[in-house]
Amino acid sequence: MAFHVPRGGLQQMMKKGTRYLEGKEEVVFDSISTIRELGDTTKTAYGPFGMNKIVQNHIEKLFLTSDAATMIKELDIRHPAAKMVVMAAHQQEEECGDGTNGCVMLTASILHEAEYLLRMGLAVPELVSGLQAGLQAGLSEINGLTVHTVDLQQIRDVNAVKYAIKASLMSKQLGNEEFLSNIIAEACVSTLPKDAIRFNVDDIRVCKIMGSNLEASKIIPGMVFKRYVESEIQNVTDAKVAMFNCPLDNLQTETKGTVLLKNAEELKNFTKTEEAQLYNAVKAIAESGAKVLVCGGKISDLGLDYANKMGLMTVRLNSKWDMRRLAKSIGATVLPRLTPPSADEMGFCDKVRVEEIGDTRVVSFQRSTSRIATIVLRAGTTNVLDDLERAVDDGVNNFKLLTKDKRLVAGAGAFEVELAKCLDVHAEKCLGMEQYGIKLLAKAYEYLPRQLAENCGQNPSKVISRLMAAHAEVEGYAQEFSASAQYGIEQKAFNLPGSGAKVPSTQKEIGQMIDSMKRVAQLYGSADMAKAADTFEDGFNMHKSKKLVGSTIGVNIESEDLQDAAKNGIFDHILIKEWQLKLAVNTAITILRVNQIIMAKRAGGPKAPSQRGGHWDDDHDEED
C-alpha cells in the first residue's frame, strides 16, 4: 500500500492539479524571470536591424516577422504575470498601433532593475511609491521634449505627413521607407474628412497581390476586391451602382406548399409568373439608371441572363463587411429587397472595371472623391506581403495619432536618453526612499537605446556612454553661451523683463528666454525684438554645433558616430511614448504587488498523444 501524504493549507481545499505559489522568491522573482525571458525574445527584433522570428501558432499557421505585436499575439503564453505584459502590449497596440516592442522591453527592464533593489532589502511599498513618483515626473517631462509639430494645416500636406511618419516605417521596412511613406501619406490625406479627428484607420484598405516588387504597388481611390464579375460586361464608366443585400433570384416561400397540376399547359405556365417577376425587377433596376448591380447573395442563372440583357454589370460580394465598406466608399445605400433604387440610394463610381494585376483578376470601384482608399501591395512572397501590410498599418496608425496630437519627439534613442537624464535630475531632488524608484525608471530607459545599438552591430556600452555625454554636455554649452557678450548686449539693448534676474544657464532656461522674447515681439509688434530673438537662437545653435551635443542626439544605425535625430527627420509620436511609460510602469507595479499565484487546473479533455507525448492511458493530472 502506497504511503499517502495529505496536502496542507490552502491546497487541500483546491481541486487536484491546482498550482499554488507563495513568497517573494516563488512569486515575484519567478515572475520577473519569466518576463525577462519574454523581453529577451522580443528585444532582438527592436529597431531597423531587428531580427525576424518564425512563430507557429496553435493552428500551425506560420508567421515570419519582426513585429512584436504579431509575435506576442500568436504566442500561447500561460504564465499569469507574463500574460499581464501581453495585455499591456495589446493595449499599446489598441491605443497607438505602434510601440509594442518598446512597451514590453521597458516593462522587462523596470522589473529587472527592481529585482536588484528588492534583493538588497528595499521594501515593495517604497519601490512602488518611487515608481509612481517617477511616472508622474516622466509624464510632466515628456511635454517639454517636443521637437517637431504637424498642425491642422500641415496634416493635409502630403510632404509634411510623409516627413512625420517616415521614421516609423524605417524601423519596419528599412530601405523602403521613402516609397511606403509617400503612398501612405497620399492615401491618408486623400481620405481625410473635414474634421480631421474623425479619420478612421479602416478607411485605408490593403489588397495584397503576389508578383513583381514593391515599386509596382499603387493607390486606388475606392475599393478593390480579388474576385471576378458574374456578368459579361466588365468595364463601366460614370456608373450608378445599386446595392442589394439579397440574392438575384426568385424569392423562396417561407412555408412549404403543395401544387396540383392537372395538365401539361399548367406545367408549362408554372414558373412563368416567377420568371416575369424577376424580369420586371431587373428591368426596373436598369430603368432607374443603374449600370452596376452588386448583390450580397447568390446570383441565379436566370437573373444573370436578365442582367446581361439589360446591360447591367453584376458583382457578387459574400462579406457583409465588404458590402458596408463599398457602400461607404461610393455613397450608396444597401437595400434589403430587389426594388428599384431611388437616386439617393444609388452610389456613383467614375470607373468600375476588371483589372488583371499579375495573374490575379480584381474588380475595382474607383471614385475620385471616395472616403476609402485601397493600397495595392506587390511582392514576391506571402511573408513579405504580410510584413508590408503590417508596416502600412503602423504608418496609418501614426497618421491617426497626428490627427489627435500634433507633437513629435526625437527618435533614434534620443528621447529615452534625455528623459532618463531628466528623471535622474528629479531623483536627486527627492530626499526619501522614492529616489530609488525614480532612478530605477531612469536606468530602465537607458536599456532601449542600448539594445538599438546592439541590434545594429555596434558596441552598446561605447555608444550609450557617448550618447549620455552628448546629452549632458549641452548644459555646459548653455552656461558658456549665457556668459558670452552676445547675451549681455541683447539684454541691455532691449531692457528685457527680468534683466536683474538670474542669468539662464541651462538649455531649458535659454529656450524659455527665447520664447519669451518672441512672445514680447509678437505682442508689441516689435520687428527689432523678433530679429534679436532669432539672432539669439541662431547664436546658441551655432555655439553648441561646435560639437554634436543636444537633447535630440541619437544612435546612428550606420556607424558608431552619433546623429541629430531631429535634423535627420527621425521622429516618434509623443502619444506612443506616453502610453509606453504609463503601461510599462503600471504593469510593473501590479506585478510587484503580487504575493500569491493560484492557478487552477486547465479545463478541457485530454490532448491527443501527438500533442502531449506518451500514451492515452498515462496519468497527466499532475502536469503543469
Side-chain angles (χ1 to χ4, degrees), residues 502-544:
K502 178 186 175 183
V503 174
S505 59
T506 66
Q507 184 185 17
K508 184 176 182 180
E509 291 173 354
I510 286 183
Q512 293 172 348
M513 178 72 177
I514 295 171
D515 290 340
S516 65
M517 292 174 69
K518 290 181 178 180
R519 283 196 300 270
V520 171
Q522 186 177 9
L523 182 62
Y524 295 103
S526 174
D528 293 336
M529 179 67 80
K531 182 178 179 181
D534 292 337
T535 304
F536 189 47
E537 186 175 18
D538 294 341
F540 176 64
N541 290 334
M542 186 177 299
H543 195 77
K544 72 175 184 178

mmCIF file of all heavy atoms in Angstrom, residues 502-544:
data_model
loop_
_atom_site.group_PDB
_atom_site.id
_atom_site.type_symbol
_atom_site.label_atom_id
_atom_site.label_comp_id
_atom_site.label_asym_id
_atom_site.label_seq_id
_atom_site.Cartn_x
_atom_site.Cartn_y
_atom_site.Cartn_z
ATOM 1 N N LYS A 502 18.238 85.958 -12.426
ATOM 2 C CA LYS A 502 19.340 85.020 -12.645
ATOM 3 C C LYS A 502 19.562 84.790 -14.136
ATOM 4 O O LYS A 502 18.618 84.603 -14.904
ATOM 5 C CB LYS A 502 19.011 83.703 -11.956
ATOM 6 C CG LYS A 502 20.056 82.632 -12.163
ATOM 7 C CD LYS A 502 19.579 81.323 -11.560
ATOM 8 C CE LYS A 502 20.566 80.213 -11.878
ATOM 9 N NZ LYS A 502 20.093 78.910 -11.353
ATOM 10 N N VAL A 503 20.830 84.819 -14.544
ATOM 11 C CA VAL A 503 21.161 84.582 -15.951
ATOM 12 C C VAL A 503 20.880 83.114 -16.284
ATOM 13 O O VAL A 503 21.317 82.224 -15.554
ATOM 14 C CB VAL A 503 22.646 84.905 -16.222
ATOM 15 C CG1 VAL A 503 23.026 84.519 -17.642
ATOM 16 C CG2 VAL A 503 22.914 86.372 -15.970
ATOM 17 N N PRO A 504 20.104 82.823 -17.365
ATOM 18 C CA PRO A 504 19.802 81.425 -17.701
ATOM 19 C C PRO A 504 21.067 80.652 -17.993
ATOM 20 O O PRO A 504 21.923 81.102 -18.755
ATOM 21 C CB PRO A 504 18.905 81.538 -18.941
ATOM 22 C CG PRO A 504 19.151 82.893 -19.490
ATOM 23 C CD PRO A 504 19.495 83.757 -18.325
ATOM 24 N N SER A 505 21.163 79.473 -17.397
ATOM 25 C CA SER A 505 22.396 78.692 -17.540
ATOM 26 C C SER A 505 22.152 77.290 -18.070
ATOM 27 O O SER A 505 23.089 76.519 -18.210
ATOM 28 C CB SER A 505 23.111 78.606 -16.187
ATOM 29 O OG SER A 505 22.260 77.994 -15.237
ATOM 30 N N THR A 506 20.913 76.925 -18.341
ATOM 31 C CA THR A 506 20.614 75.610 -18.890
ATOM 32 C C THR A 506 19.923 75.759 -20.232
ATOM 33 O O THR A 506 19.402 76.839 -20.569
ATOM 34 C CB THR A 506 19.709 74.798 -17.945
ATOM 35 O OG1 THR A 506 18.426 75.432 -17.873
ATOM 36 C CG2 THR A 506 20.296 74.706 -16.546
ATOM 37 N N GLN A 507 19.890 74.667 -20.988
ATOM 38 C CA GLN A 507 19.242 74.708 -22.294
ATOM 39 C C GLN A 507 17.750 75.018 -22.160
ATOM 40 O O GLN A 507 17.176 75.765 -22.955
ATOM 41 C CB GLN A 507 19.430 73.372 -23.006
ATOM 42 C CG GLN A 507 18.864 73.367 -24.421
ATOM 43 C CD GLN A 507 18.957 72.007 -25.068
ATOM 44 O OE1 GLN A 507 19.152 71.015 -24.398
ATOM 45 N NE2 GLN A 507 18.823 71.965 -26.379
ATOM 46 N N LYS A 508 17.115 74.484 -21.113
ATOM 47 C CA LYS A 508 15.688 74.723 -20.911
ATOM 48 C C LYS A 508 15.431 76.194 -20.615
ATOM 49 O O LYS A 508 14.497 76.807 -21.149
ATOM 50 C CB LYS A 508 15.182 73.840 -19.769
ATOM 51 C CG LYS A 508 13.682 73.927 -19.540
ATOM 52 C CD LYS A 508 13.244 72.947 -18.466
ATOM 53 C CE LYS A 508 11.733 73.001 -18.261
ATOM 54 N NZ LYS A 508 11.290 72.040 -17.220
ATOM 55 N N GLU A 509 16.276 76.798 -19.757
ATOM 56 C CA GLU A 509 16.096 78.211 -19.405
ATOM 57 C C GLU A 509 16.365 79.114 -20.598
ATOM 58 O O GLU A 509 15.676 80.123 -20.790
ATOM 59 C CB GLU A 509 17.014 78.560 -18.236
ATOM 60 C CG GLU A 509 16.602 77.899 -16.928
ATOM 61 C CD GLU A 509 17.615 78.135 -15.828
ATOM 62 O OE1 GLU A 509 18.681 78.716 -16.135
ATOM 63 O OE2 GLU A 509 17.354 77.743 -14.679
ATOM 64 N N ILE A 510 17.350 78.772 -21.409
ATOM 65 C CA ILE A 510 17.607 79.561 -22.616
ATOM 66 C C ILE A 510 16.438 79.454 -23.585
ATOM 67 O O ILE A 510 16.023 80.435 -24.211
ATOM 68 C CB ILE A 510 18.927 79.115 -23.277
ATOM 69 C CG1 ILE A 510 20.114 79.627 -22.461
ATOM 70 C CG2 ILE A 510 19.023 79.616 -24.715
ATOM 71 C CD1 ILE A 510 21.460 79.307 -23.047
ATOM 72 N N GLY A 511 15.856 78.233 -23.712
ATOM 73 C CA GLY A 511 14.679 78.080 -24.565
ATOM 74 C C GLY A 511 13.513 78.923 -24.082
ATOM 75 O O GLY A 511 12.800 79.550 -24.873
ATOM 76 N N GLN A 512 13.308 78.969 -22.755
ATOM 77 C CA GLN A 512 12.246 79.812 -22.202
ATOM 78 C C GLN A 512 12.523 81.282 -22.470
ATOM 79 O O GLN A 512 11.605 82.066 -22.745
ATOM 80 C CB GLN A 512 12.116 79.553 -20.703
ATOM 81 C CG GLN A 512 11.613 78.155 -20.360
ATOM 82 C CD GLN A 512 11.665 77.862 -18.880
ATOM 83 O OE1 GLN A 512 12.278 78.616 -18.109
ATOM 84 N NE2 GLN A 512 11.053 76.750 -18.468
ATOM 85 N N MET A 513 13.816 81.676 -22.401
ATOM 86 C CA MET A 513 14.203 83.056 -22.684
ATOM 87 C C MET A 513 13.873 83.431 -24.124
ATOM 88 O O MET A 513 13.305 84.497 -24.408
ATOM 89 C CB MET A 513 15.711 83.210 -22.427
ATOM 90 C CG MET A 513 16.270 84.584 -22.715
ATOM 91 S SD MET A 513 15.740 85.779 -21.474
ATOM 92 C CE MET A 513 16.638 87.221 -22.055
ATOM 93 N N ILE A 514 14.195 82.537 -25.055
ATOM 94 C CA ILE A 514 13.919 82.799 -26.471
ATOM 95 C C ILE A 514 12.415 82.882 -26.717
ATOM 96 O O ILE A 514 11.933 83.765 -27.443
ATOM 97 C CB ILE A 514 14.579 81.708 -27.343
ATOM 98 C CG1 ILE A 514 16.107 81.777 -27.236
ATOM 99 C CG2 ILE A 514 14.142 81.841 -28.793
ATOM 100 C CD1 ILE A 514 16.817 80.612 -27.877
ATOM 101 N N ASP A 515 11.657 81.974 -26.108
ATOM 102 C CA ASP A 515 10.195 82.001 -26.283
ATOM 103 C C ASP A 515 9.588 83.293 -25.743
ATOM 104 O O ASP A 515 8.675 83.863 -26.354
ATOM 105 C CB ASP A 515 9.568 80.798 -25.573
ATOM 106 C CG ASP A 515 9.889 79.481 -26.267
ATOM 107 O OD1 ASP A 515 10.239 79.539 -27.455
ATOM 108 O OD2 ASP A 515 9.795 78.421 -25.628
ATOM 109 N N SER A 516 10.086 83.755 -24.607
ATOM 110 C CA SER A 516 9.547 84.997 -24.040
ATOM 111 C C SER A 516 9.868 86.185 -24.936
ATOM 112 O O SER A 516 9.038 87.090 -25.113
ATOM 113 C CB SER A 516 10.111 85.212 -22.631
ATOM 114 O OG SER A 516 11.504 85.426 -22.678
ATOM 115 N N MET A 517 11.061 86.204 -25.530
ATOM 116 C CA MET A 517 11.419 87.281 -26.454
ATOM 117 C C MET A 517 10.496 87.282 -27.667
ATOM 118 O O MET A 517 10.034 88.335 -28.125
ATOM 119 C CB MET A 517 12.881 87.126 -26.897
ATOM 120 C CG MET A 517 13.897 87.370 -25.797
ATOM 121 S SD MET A 517 15.593 87.012 -26.319
ATOM 122 C CE MET A 517 15.882 88.331 -27.482
ATOM 123 N N LYS A 518 10.175 86.095 -28.176
ATOM 124 C CA LYS A 518 9.291 86.012 -29.341
ATOM 125 C C LYS A 518 7.869 86.438 -28.992
ATOM 126 O O LYS A 518 7.186 87.077 -29.796
ATOM 127 C CB LYS A 518 9.306 84.590 -29.896
ATOM 128 C CG LYS A 518 10.619 84.203 -30.563
ATOM 129 C CD LYS A 518 10.565 82.785 -31.126
ATOM 130 C CE LYS A 518 11.863 82.433 -31.832
ATOM 131 N NZ LYS A 518 11.840 81.061 -32.384
ATOM 132 N N ARG A 519 7.424 86.085 -27.783
ATOM 133 C CA ARG A 519 6.074 86.485 -27.382
ATOM 134 C C ARG A 519 5.964 87.998 -27.217
ATOM 135 O O ARG A 519 4.974 88.612 -27.627
ATOM 136 C CB ARG A 519 5.691 85.781 -26.070
ATOM 137 C CG ARG A 519 5.297 84.324 -26.240
ATOM 138 C CD ARG A 519 4.563 83.810 -25.016
ATOM 139 N NE ARG A 519 5.384 83.896 -23.816
ATOM 140 C CZ ARG A 519 6.189 82.927 -23.400
ATOM 141 N NH1 ARG A 519 6.265 81.797 -24.084
ATOM 142 N NH2 ARG A 519 6.907 83.076 -22.294
ATOM 143 N N VAL A 520 6.999 88.608 -26.608
ATOM 144 C CA VAL A 520 7.004 90.067 -26.456
ATOM 145 C C VAL A 520 7.019 90.747 -27.826
ATOM 146 O O VAL A 520 6.308 91.725 -28.056
ATOM 147 C CB VAL A 520 8.215 90.507 -25.601
ATOM 148 C CG1 VAL A 520 8.370 92.012 -25.617
ATOM 149 C CG2 VAL A 520 8.065 90.007 -24.173
ATOM 150 N N ALA A 521 7.821 90.205 -28.755
ATOM 151 C CA ALA A 521 7.890 90.784 -30.097
ATOM 152 C C ALA A 521 6.550 90.701 -30.809
ATOM 153 O O ALA A 521 6.119 91.631 -31.495
ATOM 154 C CB ALA A 521 8.968 90.077 -30.910
ATOM 155 N N GLN A 522 5.854 89.568 -30.631
ATOM 156 C CA GLN A 522 4.554 89.403 -31.267
ATOM 157 C C GLN A 522 3.489 90.273 -30.614
ATOM 158 O O GLN A 522 2.615 90.835 -31.279
ATOM 159 C CB GLN A 522 4.136 87.932 -31.203
ATOM 160 C CG GLN A 522 2.851 87.620 -31.964
ATOM 161 C CD GLN A 522 2.521 86.138 -31.937
ATOM 162 O OE1 GLN A 522 3.154 85.384 -31.225
ATOM 163 N NE2 GLN A 522 1.549 85.744 -32.714
ATOM 164 N N LEU A 523 3.586 90.446 -29.284
ATOM 165 C CA LEU A 523 2.589 91.220 -28.555
ATOM 166 C C LEU A 523 2.656 92.698 -28.910
ATOM 167 O O LEU A 523 1.628 93.348 -29.135
ATOM 168 C CB LEU A 523 2.803 91.019 -27.047
ATOM 169 C CG LEU A 523 1.813 91.730 -26.114
ATOM 170 C CD1 LEU A 523 0.401 91.208 -26.349
ATOM 171 C CD2 LEU A 523 2.216 91.533 -24.665
ATOM 172 N N TYR A 524 3.883 93.229 -29.004
ATOM 173 C CA TYR A 524 4.050 94.658 -29.264
ATOM 174 C C TYR A 524 4.397 94.961 -30.723
ATOM 175 O O TYR A 524 4.600 96.120 -31.072
ATOM 176 C CB TYR A 524 5.145 95.229 -28.360
ATOM 177 C CG TYR A 524 4.785 95.169 -26.893
ATOM 178 C CD1 TYR A 524 5.333 94.216 -26.066
ATOM 179 C CD2 TYR A 524 3.868 96.069 -26.349
ATOM 180 C CE1 TYR A 524 4.998 94.144 -24.723
ATOM 181 C CE2 TYR A 524 3.521 96.012 -25.011
ATOM 182 C CZ TYR A 524 4.089 95.048 -24.193
ATOM 183 O OH TYR A 524 3.752 94.990 -22.874
ATOM 184 N N GLY A 525 4.455 93.912 -31.550
ATOM 185 C CA GLY A 525 4.752 94.128 -32.959
ATOM 186 C C GLY A 525 6.145 94.687 -33.196
ATOM 187 O O GLY A 525 6.343 95.515 -34.093
ATOM 188 N N SER A 526 7.106 94.263 -32.379
ATOM 189 C CA SER A 526 8.465 94.796 -32.481
ATOM 190 C C SER A 526 9.291 93.921 -33.415
ATOM 191 O O SER A 526 9.616 92.777 -33.097
ATOM 192 C CB SER A 526 9.104 94.838 -31.086
ATOM 193 O OG SER A 526 10.461 95.211 -31.180
ATOM 194 N N ALA A 527 9.633 94.481 -34.564
ATOM 195 C CA ALA A 527 10.467 93.749 -35.519
ATOM 196 C C ALA A 527 11.884 93.582 -34.994
ATOM 197 O O ALA A 527 12.541 92.564 -35.218
ATOM 198 C CB ALA A 527 10.480 94.458 -36.869
ATOM 199 N N ASP A 528 12.375 94.605 -34.255
ATOM 200 C CA ASP A 528 13.729 94.518 -33.701
ATOM 201 C C ASP A 528 13.831 93.401 -32.671
ATOM 202 O O ASP A 528 14.815 92.669 -32.614
ATOM 203 C CB ASP A 528 14.119 95.856 -33.062
ATOM 204 C CG ASP A 528 14.275 96.958 -34.098
ATOM 205 O OD1 ASP A 528 14.532 96.620 -35.272
ATOM 206 O OD2 ASP A 528 14.129 98.137 -33.732
ATOM 207 N N MET A 529 12.781 93.288 -31.840
ATOM 208 C CA MET A 529 12.781 92.228 -30.833
ATOM 209 C C MET A 529 12.743 90.850 -31.484
ATOM 210 O O MET A 529 13.431 89.921 -31.064
ATOM 211 C CB MET A 529 11.587 92.402 -29.910
ATOM 212 C CG MET A 529 11.476 91.327 -28.844
ATOM 213 S SD MET A 529 12.796 91.401 -27.647
ATOM 214 C CE MET A 529 12.186 92.742 -26.617
ATOM 215 N N ALA A 530 11.923 90.687 -32.523
ATOM 216 C CA ALA A 530 11.836 89.406 -33.225
ATOM 217 C C ALA A 530 13.174 89.045 -33.862
ATOM 218 O O ALA A 530 13.615 87.893 -33.812
ATOM 219 C CB ALA A 530 10.735 89.460 -34.285
ATOM 220 N N LYS A 531 13.809 90.052 -34.454
ATOM 221 C CA LYS A 531 15.111 89.810 -35.082
ATOM 222 C C LYS A 531 16.146 89.428 -34.027
ATOM 223 O O LYS A 531 16.973 88.536 -34.235
ATOM 224 C CB LYS A 531 15.554 91.062 -35.835
ATOM 225 C CG LYS A 531 16.872 90.900 -36.574
ATOM 226 C CD LYS A 531 17.230 92.164 -37.351
ATOM 227 C CE LYS A 531 18.564 91.997 -38.069
ATOM 228 N NZ LYS A 531 18.934 93.241 -38.799
ATOM 229 N N ALA A 532 16.073 90.086 -32.869
ATOM 230 C CA ALA A 532 17.016 89.768 -31.796
ATOM 231 C C ALA A 532 16.806 88.353 -31.280
ATOM 232 O O ALA A 532 17.765 87.636 -30.984
ATOM 233 C CB ALA A 532 16.863 90.782 -30.665
ATOM 234 N N ALA A 533 15.523 87.926 -31.170
ATOM 235 C CA ALA A 533 15.237 86.573 -30.710
ATOM 236 C C ALA A 533 15.795 85.539 -31.677
ATOM 237 O O ALA A 533 16.389 84.533 -31.263
ATOM 238 C CB ALA A 533 13.733 86.394 -30.547
ATOM 239 N N ASP A 534 15.624 85.793 -32.981
ATOM 240 C CA ASP A 534 16.157 84.865 -33.986
ATOM 241 C C ASP A 534 17.680 84.825 -33.929
ATOM 242 O O ASP A 534 18.293 83.766 -34.028
ATOM 243 C CB ASP A 534 15.684 85.276 -35.375
ATOM 244 C CG ASP A 534 14.186 85.091 -35.552
ATOM 245 O OD1 ASP A 534 13.610 84.274 -34.809
ATOM 246 O OD2 ASP A 534 13.588 85.763 -36.423
ATOM 247 N N THR A 535 18.293 85.999 -33.770
ATOM 248 C CA THR A 535 19.756 86.054 -33.687
ATOM 249 C C THR A 535 20.257 85.326 -32.448
ATOM 250 O O THR A 535 21.246 84.591 -32.473
ATOM 251 C CB THR A 535 20.216 87.526 -33.650
ATOM 252 O OG1 THR A 535 19.702 88.205 -34.789
ATOM 253 C CG2 THR A 535 21.741 87.614 -33.642
ATOM 254 N N PHE A 536 19.523 85.523 -31.353
ATOM 255 C CA PHE A 536 19.870 84.863 -30.102
ATOM 256 C C PHE A 536 19.799 83.343 -30.245
ATOM 257 O O PHE A 536 20.703 82.607 -29.827
ATOM 258 C CB PHE A 536 18.904 85.370 -29.033
ATOM 259 C CG PHE A 536 19.263 84.936 -27.637
ATOM 260 C CD1 PHE A 536 20.557 85.050 -27.165
ATOM 261 C CD2 PHE A 536 18.289 84.441 -26.787
ATOM 262 C CE1 PHE A 536 20.876 84.666 -25.883
ATOM 263 C CE2 PHE A 536 18.608 84.049 -25.503
ATOM 264 C CZ PHE A 536 19.903 84.173 -25.050
ATOM 265 N N GLU A 537 18.711 82.862 -30.887
ATOM 266 C CA GLU A 537 18.520 81.420 -31.066
ATOM 267 C C GLU A 537 19.560 80.851 -32.014
ATOM 268 O O GLU A 537 20.149 79.791 -31.750
ATOM 269 C CB GLU A 537 17.110 81.156 -31.588
ATOM 270 C CG GLU A 537 16.742 79.689 -31.677
ATOM 271 C CD GLU A 537 15.298 79.479 -32.072
ATOM 272 O OE1 GLU A 537 14.677 80.423 -32.598
ATOM 273 O OE2 GLU A 537 14.791 78.364 -31.858
ATOM 274 N N ASP A 538 19.802 81.549 -33.133
ATOM 275 C CA ASP A 538 20.806 81.074 -34.089
ATOM 276 C C ASP A 538 22.189 81.052 -33.465
ATOM 277 O O ASP A 538 22.994 80.152 -33.725
ATOM 278 C CB ASP A 538 20.803 81.959 -35.337
ATOM 279 C CG ASP A 538 19.511 81.846 -36.130
ATOM 280 O OD1 ASP A 538 18.792 80.838 -35.931
ATOM 281 O OD2 ASP A 538 19.208 82.747 -36.931
ATOM 282 N N GLY A 539 22.464 82.063 -32.627
ATOM 283 C CA GLY A 539 23.776 82.118 -31.989
ATOM 284 C C GLY A 539 24.008 80.944 -31.068
ATOM 285 O O GLY A 539 25.085 80.350 -31.055
ATOM 286 N N PHE A 540 22.964 80.586 -30.292
ATOM 287 C CA PHE A 540 23.123 79.444 -29.389
ATOM 288 C C PHE A 540 23.262 78.141 -30.163
ATOM 289 O O PHE A 540 24.080 77.283 -29.819
ATOM 290 C CB PHE A 540 21.932 79.375 -28.432
ATOM 291 C CG PHE A 540 21.969 78.174 -27.531
ATOM 292 C CD1 PHE A 540 22.978 78.017 -26.599
ATOM 293 C CD2 PHE A 540 21.011 77.188 -27.632
ATOM 294 C CE1 PHE A 540 23.021 76.918 -25.769
ATOM 295 C CE2 PHE A 540 21.050 76.080 -26.818
ATOM 296 C CZ PHE A 540 22.058 75.949 -25.875
ATOM 297 N N ASN A 541 22.459 77.976 -31.229
ATOM 298 C CA ASN A 541 22.561 76.751 -32.032
ATOM 299 C C ASN A 541 23.940 76.623 -32.657
ATOM 300 O O ASN A 541 24.512 75.536 -32.718
ATOM 301 C CB ASN A 541 21.478 76.745 -33.110
ATOM 302 C CG ASN A 541 20.089 76.562 -32.531
ATOM 303 O OD1 ASN A 541 19.935 75.980 -31.457
ATOM 304 N ND2 ASN A 541 19.079 77.072 -33.214
ATOM 305 N N MET A 542 24.474 77.758 -33.137
ATOM 306 C CA MET A 542 25.818 77.729 -33.728
ATOM 307 C C MET A 542 26.862 77.453 -32.659
ATOM 308 O O MET A 542 27.854 76.758 -32.878
ATOM 309 C CB MET A 542 26.098 79.059 -34.429
ATOM 310 C CG MET A 542 27.400 79.097 -35.209
ATOM 311 S SD MET A 542 27.607 80.670 -36.069
ATOM 312 C CE MET A 542 26.192 80.660 -37.153
ATOM 313 N N HIS A 543 26.613 77.982 -31.466
ATOM 314 C CA HIS A 543 27.557 77.805 -30.373
ATOM 315 C C HIS A 543 27.671 76.334 -29.980
ATOM 316 O O HIS A 543 28.775 75.814 -29.788
ATOM 317 C CB HIS A 543 27.086 78.644 -29.187
ATOM 318 C CG HIS A 543 28.130 78.834 -28.129
ATOM 319 N ND1 HIS A 543 29.177 79.719 -28.271
ATOM 320 C CD2 HIS A 543 28.285 78.254 -26.911
ATOM 321 C CE1 HIS A 543 29.934 79.681 -27.190
ATOM 322 N NE2 HIS A 543 29.406 78.800 -26.340
ATOM 323 N N LYS A 544 26.533 75.671 -29.866
ATOM 324 C CA LYS A 544 26.577 74.267 -29.439
ATOM 325 C C LYS A 544 26.899 73.328 -30.600
ATOM 326 O O LYS A 544 27.212 72.164 -30.385
ATOM 327 C CB LYS A 544 25.251 73.862 -28.804
ATOM 328 C CG LYS A 544 24.087 73.707 -29.748
ATOM 329 C CD LYS A 544 22.864 73.176 -29.018
ATOM 330 C CE LYS A 544 21.720 72.928 -30.000
ATOM 331 N NZ LYS A 544 20.529 72.367 -29.343
#
